[in-house]
Amino acid sequence: MSELAKQLIYDMYVKLLHLNEQKADTDLKALLKQADEADVKRLPGNMTTIHVISCIGHSEPINNTGIAKKMNLSKANITKISSRLLKEGLIKRFQLTDNKKEVYFRLTPSGKQVFELHEKLHQKKAETFDQFLDSFSEPEQSAILKFLQGLTVMAGKKQDVNK
């Protein structure tokens, strides 16, 4: 592959990262609008917190450690977010009868409303993405998958910016 092609791919990658940041703001605004239309009273103010609700909704009962692993966030960050969600009445905590040490979370009815709104948004995005992927052949889809898997591994590694 030529250096020019590599540079173009990198430039598109950086552009995609910037667009993704902008899209997160747009998604939050769309979610806020849907929440208003559906008369959902409690909606967290950022997407990470909404994704924690989604993680709990998909995996309940789940504890801080489980959420942190699934979301690739620190336990301290999850503790901070879950404390806020408890105060806002979007999740509840409980202990299993056979394990009184570990604290688990479930969604409250208000939390379930947020979860369902978020699921609808993701479902629409998935349908649009599927239609987009259908424009590529199977070998192209395999190459895209391989690229994204490698990119995910690369993004997950801590990089020394001083090199």
Side-chain angles (χ1 to χ4, degrees):
M1 180 175 280
S2 73
E3 290 304 313
L4 177 60
K6 288 180 183 177
Q7 184 62 49
L8 288 171
I9 290 170
Y10 179 74
D11 291 346
M12 290 304 295
Y13 166 67
V14 171
K15 185 176 182 176
L16 181 63
L17 290 175
H18 290 240
L19 287 170
N20 192 49
E21 289 172 8
Q22 294 170 2
K23 187 78 172 111
D25 290 340
T26 304
D27 287 348
L28 184 58
K29 287 176 185 167
L31 201 61
L32 289 169
K33 183 179 178 203
Q34 285 181 358
D36 190 46
E37 290 169 0
D39 204 31
V40 174
K41 301 289 186 229
R42 298 180 186 136
L43 191 69
N46 67 63
M47 289 308 287
T48 301
T49 305
I50 291 167
H51 286 135
V52 169
I53 289 172
S54 179
C55 182
I56 293 169
H58 281 288
S59 305
E60 61 183 25
I62 189 168
N63 60 17
N64 269 1
T65 304
I67 299 168
K69 282 182 184 173
K70 284 181 181 285
M71 294 192 64
N72 200 26
L73 294 171
S74 70
K75 284 197 263 184
N77 200 357
I78 297 300
T79 299
K80 189 169 106 178
I81 293 169
S82 62
S83 294
R84 194 173 332 121
L85 291 172
L86 284 162
K87 284 180 194 167
E88 292 175 8
L90 295 167
I91 63 172
K92 58 185 172 188
R93 65 186 331 154
F94 68 97
Q95 294 171 314
L96 300 175
T97 53
D98 59 339
N99 182 354
K100 294 293 182 187
K101 227 167 94 170
E102 200 69 48
V103 174
Y104 289 85
F105 300 106
R106 278 204 171 98
L107 298 178
T108 63
S110 295
K112 285 181 182 171
Q113 286 182 315
V114 173
F115 173 76
E116 288 166 5
L117 276 176
H118 183 254
E119 286 300 296
K120 285 179 188 172
L121 183 69
H122 266 275
Q123 190 171 358
K124 284 180 188 174
K125 284 176 139 185
E127 289 169 5
T128 302
F129 196 76
D130 279 352
Q131 290 171 355
F132 172 67
L133 282 178
D134 286 341
S135 69
F136 295 94
S137 67
E138 284 194 34
E140 288 171 326
Q141 289 178 14
S142 294
I144 293 166
L145 178 61
K146 181 179 178 184
F147 173 76
L148 289 174
Q149 287 170 332
L151 191 60
T152 302
V153 169
M154 184 184 81
K157 292 180 180 175
K158 295 189 189 235
Q159 296 184 6
D160 186 354
V161 291
N162 296 323
K163 286 187 178 180

